[in-house]
Amino acid sequence: MSSPDIASIMDNSRELDRLRKDQEEVLVEINKLHKKLQATPEVVEKPGDSSLSRLKSLYIQAKDLSEREVVISNSLVSKLDTFLPSGAPGQQRRKMDDSDQKRRRMKSDSDISRLSPSMRSHIEACLSLKDEQVAARVTSDAEKDEWFVVKVINFDEKTKEFEVLDEEPGDDEEGGVQKKYKLPASCIIPFPKRNDPSGTQEFPAGRNVLAVYPGTTALYKATVISTPRKRKSDEYLLEFDDDEEDGALPQRTVPFHKVVPLPDGHRQ
């Protein structure tokens, strides 16, 4: 291997180190913004606030760095392959077979590990939802969105889709069977952890949320009247839209782990 070839390989190695350091710095900034938005979600409603546009910019930067890392890694592998000793034909074949088997065994892990830290964290979070109940938008037409409580069966890392099960039996016209859906991550909202109320974002009074209507597995838009902290309990006091009784909106209690942020552009 000549000196220029070694120098090129070392340049690629240094470039990889720089890219990974840049990714870590971007991830730190993303996590800071996540914590800020979780602690004070109302900040995005203030005039002139740029938190969301800043977050979008950071995600784009993380994606660009990840793609650049893949390009440099592939270039480095190609250069190293060029200078590896060939060995005897039989020996070379065995090495190739062993390498192919190793790649197949490690494919799933490598697919995740080569992603940027932020994207890797997102994929791992999706995988961790298996067997958990989540809020899912199962239908969306020109007039309204319908959200239900479903159980996550699987998350496909290639298609980035969730396979979920509506555990409520269908009506007689549908044969009374449970329905399965394949949905993108944008149609899924994880519920807060039931056993960790202190680590859960609390929505302030007056905030619009999406919540499970008592006695059902359907979620509807509601307004927070009182918070669990103020009520010294694990329940919100909510007023659901279109829930009028005798000319007034009744106030209903809903456990904190059945209340999630209202999605942008929600139609009901």
Side-chain angles (χ1 to χ4, degrees), residues 1-12 14 79 83:
M1 189 183 297
S2 65
S3 295
D5 296 324
I6 295 175
S8 176
I9 289 173
M10 295 306 297
D11 285 343
N12 283 159
R14 284 190 288 269
K79 290 174 182 177
F83 296 101

Side-chain angles (χ1 to χ4, degrees), residues 64-113:
D64 291 342
L65 288 170
S66 177
E67 291 173 348
R68 178 62 180 162
E69 181 183 1
V70 172
V71 171
I72 296 297
S73 296
N74 288 339
S75 174
L76 190 56
V77 169
S78 297
K79 290 174 182 177
L80 290 170
D81 282 344
T82 303
F83 296 101
L84 287 176
S86 59
Q91 181 181 5
Q92 176 69 4
R93 178 61 188 169
R94 284 194 296 274
K95 286 182 179 178
M96 290 173 65
D97 289 343
D98 291 343
S99 178
D100 288 343
Q101 290 173 7
K102 186 176 182 181
R103 286 193 190 100
R104 284 195 293 269
R105 287 197 303 269
M106 299 179 65
K107 184 177 187 302
S108 178
D109 290 340
S110 65
D111 284 346
I112 296 179
S113 62

